[in-house]
Amino acid sequence: MNAIINFANNLIRGVSSNKDVFKFNGGVHPRDHKAESTTRPIAKLAIPEKLILPLRQHVGYIPKIKVQVGDQVLKGQMLAEPEGTVSAAIHAPTSGTISAISEEVIPHPSGLPDMCITLTPDGKDTWGQLHPIDWRHTDKKILVDSLRESGIVGLGGATFPTHIKLHSNGKSNVHTLVINAAECEPYITCDDMLMRERADEIVKGIEIVKYLLGAEKSIIGIEDNKPEAARAMSAACVSDDMLVKVVPTLYPSGDARRLIHLLLDIEIPHDKRSTDVGVQVFNIATVLAIYRYFEFGEPSISRIVTITGNVHTPQNFEVLFGTPLESLVAAAGGTKQDTTHFIMGGPMMGFDLPNEHVPITKAANCIIAAAPGLFAPPPPAMPCIRCARCADACPVNLQPQELYWFAKSDNFEKARDYNLFDCIECGCCSYVCPSDIPLVQYYRYAKSEIIATDKAKEAADLARERNDFRLARIEREKLERAQKHAERAQAGKTQAKVEDASANKSEAESTVSSEATPSVNDKQAAIAAAIARAKAQKLSSAPANQELAAEKAEATNIAKTPEMEAAGLSVNETQVKQDKQALIAAAIERAKAQKLAAAQAGVVPKNVDNISASVQAEINETDAIREKAKLSTDNKN
């Protein structure tokens, strides 16, 4: 009956009907419990006495702390910068002093402490310098890069860093932007109230995201149990490329893949992303945060949180990140007496909080005060009767009963073969199980074991690879040392050969020198001895020569003729001239004799071949002079 009423209301309001919606397999329809927290508008929670900001508030690497204890910070100032690609920044929700950086209990299923920054507010709530960006006239790459510093993550509960969904180069193949406003899980109404009260800002945020993606159109999917939100969004969407579609209230229609199937009839393969088929999905609260960042320069420091369940005044509050849960509970009028614990998230996929002192984080879209009347203790699990209701309810078309058996028997490889990791842990199988088997808990256990095994295997592979590299390095160094030793040995042998050759050469040279030296010395000694003998003979023959010279002079003087005296010649000069002529004649005779002997032997002097006429005339003239000189000598004798 409610579905019929909602369908009629949608037709009257002009909102697109369900005729354009495509059903998916399975799903359940639990009681929504949404009306309790939608009767009051969104209220702003007061600044608490202290804010505890966990570093682990998003998917990916935790950010790097930039402040120290005692630092004075302003509202919006970055306290921790993103580390790596998949990371998000943490900013100061208000102005104050950093009072501690230590481990505190955080909202996590494990209940374990983690590193947190504790900020003590000063009550002034003073903003730091903000930097709005004119996104219409700024390069897309600059816009996307700036989102990394904004701290904005997916506020639908997944907390995936928003800048990762946008290409840093400003290019993508996305043609359709899907805005997830289904909010299918019971009790949660924060997105519903946002659409009712801030539809205009949401539409502006959608325009920014559509511009960054380069998408041609955008579709807003809203469940039919939110008629006021659908009407407000339809009134705010004035563009033809922005459409509001109402989908049936069926859990888990808020899952991204299920919503894409509902709106576009596109089935995304399990090994693909939505962007592979040209579709990207953003949450309502996320696009609103993007608008606030670009328009006013405000980083992500707060969010809308639903506080409901076993409290006196269920309501939605705008809460600063790091606010203790007890402050939010007090703002909702406190808990009733039979409250047992608190649940973060919805009743289908949420988890129990360790205490009421944990801080509100970016993932906290809803806090439910649990009581036995609202959430009865689970009955003991009974044996599986193989009724297959879990398979009928599974929206991912898995075989939950088979996965249950594999997980229970620790047959993790078989569970992996049955696509265990395609399970979105929606809890539909556990909700319909007549045996009250906590199927999702078994799947989570199997996933955690497989992940731990994969990490151990990866660590072992890495260690083995490092060991292989180590052994290879040792072997390489060993070969290099051996090669160096061989080169040194070869160099030594070559040097030894060179030294031996040099030594042999030196020895040979010394031998030759030693052999040649005596010969030279003997020759020099012989020459010296001959010179000495000649000197001695000269000295010994000097008196006799003098007596002979005297006798010759005397004889010459005695034999001087009157003709010599008439010619003016002395006896000594005449004798010297005669001796000279005699020597010349003897030399001529010897030359002739040698020439005659050579002619008889058939040897012709080389210098007489082809003699020119002038040279021959000179020779003949010389010979004639010699003949005259000879005749003159003969006549005188």
Side-chain angles (χ1 to χ4, degrees), residues 396-407:
V396 195
N397 297 317
L398 298 178
Q399 299 181 30
Q401 71 279 12
E402 299 295 338
L403 293 175
Y404 161 68
W405 289 113
F406 296 144

Side-chain angles (χ1 to χ4, degrees), residues 21-55:
V21 175
F22 308 91
K23 293 187 62 177
F24 58 86
N25 179 74
V28 295
H29 193 174
R31 293 185 58 187
D32 52 28
H33 290 281
K34 294 180 180 289
E36 295 91 337
S37 57
T38 56
T39 58
R40 299 176 181 84
I42 298 174
K44 189 172 183 178
L45 194 65
I47 301 174
E49 295 181 357
K50 69 175 181 178
L51 297 169
I52 302 173
L53 300 164
L55 298 181

Side-chain angles (χ1 to χ4, degrees), residues 56-229:
R56 198 180 303 274
Q57 296 191 46
H58 55 268
V59 174
Y61 298 103
I62 62 174
K64 182 180 179 181
I65 299 176
K66 295 184 60 178
V67 294
Q68 297 179 352
V69 176
D71 287 354
Q72 299 288 329
V73 296
L74 298 175
K75 185 176 183 178
Q77 180 177 333
M78 185 182 294
L79 305 181
E81 61 183 354
E83 186 85 345
T85 303
V86 185
S87 183
I90 303 294
H91 298 80
T94 187
S95 58
T97 305
I98 303 298
S99 57
I101 299 177
S102 59
E103 289 191 345
E104 304 286 345
V105 178
I106 65 172
H108 190 269
S110 66
L112 298 175
D114 202 357
M115 189 60 64
C116 301
I117 300 174
T118 302
L119 172 63
T120 301
D122 57 10
K124 299 178 181 179
D125 201 33
T126 305
W127 274 101
Q129 187 175 3
L130 301 179
H131 301 280
I133 301 176
D134 184 5
W135 58 272
R136 293 179 179 85
H137 302 92
T138 305
D139 184 74
K140 290 183 179 181
K141 185 178 185 305
I142 297 177
L143 296 176
V144 175
D145 291 341
S146 67
L147 275 176
R148 185 172 181 267
E149 310 296 326
S150 68
I152 299 175
V153 300
L155 298 178
T159 65
F160 195 77
T162 298
H163 68 275
I164 302 298
K165 289 188 173 184
L166 303 168
H167 291 264
S168 60
N169 58 4
K171 298 179 181 179
S172 69
N173 61 343
V174 175
H175 54 73
T176 302
L177 170 63
V178 172
I179 301 301
N180 190 347
E183 200 171 48
C184 59
E185 196 159 357
Y187 287 95
I188 307 175
T189 60
C190 54
D191 290 348
D192 185 1
M193 296 305 298
L194 268 180
M195 289 185 286
R196 294 187 191 186
E197 299 184 12
R198 306 179 186 178
D200 293 337
E201 294 184 355
I202 292 173
V203 170
K204 293 177 182 177
I206 294 173
E207 291 177 354
I208 296 175
V209 176
K210 189 158 67 69
Y211 168 75
L212 294 176
L213 289 172
E216 300 172 359
K217 61 179 179 179
S218 58
I219 302 177
I220 305 170
I222 306 175
E223 280 191 337
D224 57 11
N225 61 352
K226 304 175 184 61
E228 295 183 19

Side-chain angles (χ1 to χ4, degrees), residues 144-360:
V144 175
D145 291 341
S146 67
L147 275 176
R148 185 172 181 267
E149 310 296 326
S150 68
I152 299 175
V153 300
L155 298 178
T159 65
F160 195 77
T162 298
H163 68 275
I164 302 298
K165 289 188 173 184
L166 303 168
H167 291 264
S168 60
N169 58 4
K171 298 179 181 179
S172 69
N173 61 343
V174 175
H175 54 73
T176 302
L177 170 63
V178 172
I179 301 301
N180 190 347
E183 200 171 48
C184 59
E185 196 159 357
Y187 287 95
I188 307 175
T189 60
C190 54
D191 290 348
D192 185 1
M193 296 305 298
L194 268 180
M195 289 185 286
R196 294 187 191 186
E197 299 184 12
R198 306 179 186 178
D200 293 337
E201 294 184 355
I202 292 173
V203 170
K204 293 177 182 177
I206 294 173
E207 291 177 354
I208 296 175
V209 176
K210 189 158 67 69
Y211 168 75
L212 294 176
L213 289 172
E216 300 172 359
K217 61 179 179 179
S218 58
I219 302 177
I220 305 170
I222 306 175
E223 280 191 337
D224 57 11
N225 61 352
K226 304 175 184 61
E228 295 183 19
R231 185 173 65 252
M233 291 302 300
S234 298
C237 295
V238 295
S239 177
D240 295 335
D241 56 5
M242 193 175 299
L243 178 65
V244 175
K245 277 192 176 184
V246 176
V247 299
T249 301
L250 182 68
Y251 179 83
S253 61
D255 175 67
R257 292 173 181 259
R258 311 288 82 75
L259 186 61
I260 292 173
H261 182 77
L262 283 169
L263 300 177
L264 301 172
D265 194 24
I266 297 176
E267 189 74 26
I268 302 174
H270 71 94
D271 57 345
K272 300 291 183 181
R273 300 177 183 270
S274 62
T275 52
D276 295 331
V277 296
V279 181
Q280 185 60 281
V281 181
F282 275 79
N283 178 262
I284 281 287
T286 306
V287 296
L288 176 59
I290 292 173
Y291 164 74
R292 300 289 302 182
Y293 175 71
F294 284 118
E295 189 69 21
F296 304 103
E298 297 178 3
S300 181
I301 59 174
S302 65
R303 67 158 302 146
I304 308 301
V305 182
T306 302
I307 175 71
T308 185
N310 204 39
V311 292
H312 290 93
T313 56
Q315 193 176 355
N316 284 275
F317 291 91
E318 184 173 359
V319 185
L320 298 177
F321 296 140
T323 300
L325 174 58
E326 53 192 348
S327 298
L328 179 61
V329 172
T335 59
K336 299 178 181 178
Q337 292 184 353
D338 56 346
T339 301
T340 56
H341 61 280
F342 294 93
I343 300 173
M344 178 172 162
M348 303 295 290
M349 299 183 67
F351 59 90
D352 295 345
L353 294 174
N355 55 55
E356 63 178 9
H357 306 295
V358 296
I360 298 299

Side-chain angles (χ1 to χ4, degrees), residues 425-479:
E425 301 178 17
C426 62
C428 291
C429 53
S430 300
Y431 183 82
V432 299
C433 180
S435 297
D436 296 316
I437 301 174
L439 297 173
V440 175
Q441 306 302 325
Y442 281 99
Y443 306 153
R444 289 175 178 170
Y445 159 73
K447 285 182 179 181
S448 63
E449 291 296 319
I450 292 174
I451 292 173
T453 302
D454 290 345
K455 287 185 177 180
K457 183 178 181 299
E458 182 180 358
D461 292 341
L462 180 61
R464 182 171 59 255
E465 184 178 356
R466 292 176 61 185
N467 185 60
D468 291 342
F469 277 118
R470 174 179 172 273
L471 296 177
R473 187 187 73 250
I474 293 174
E475 185 65 22
R476 185 180 67 252
E477 292 175 352
K478 182 178 179 181
L479 293 176

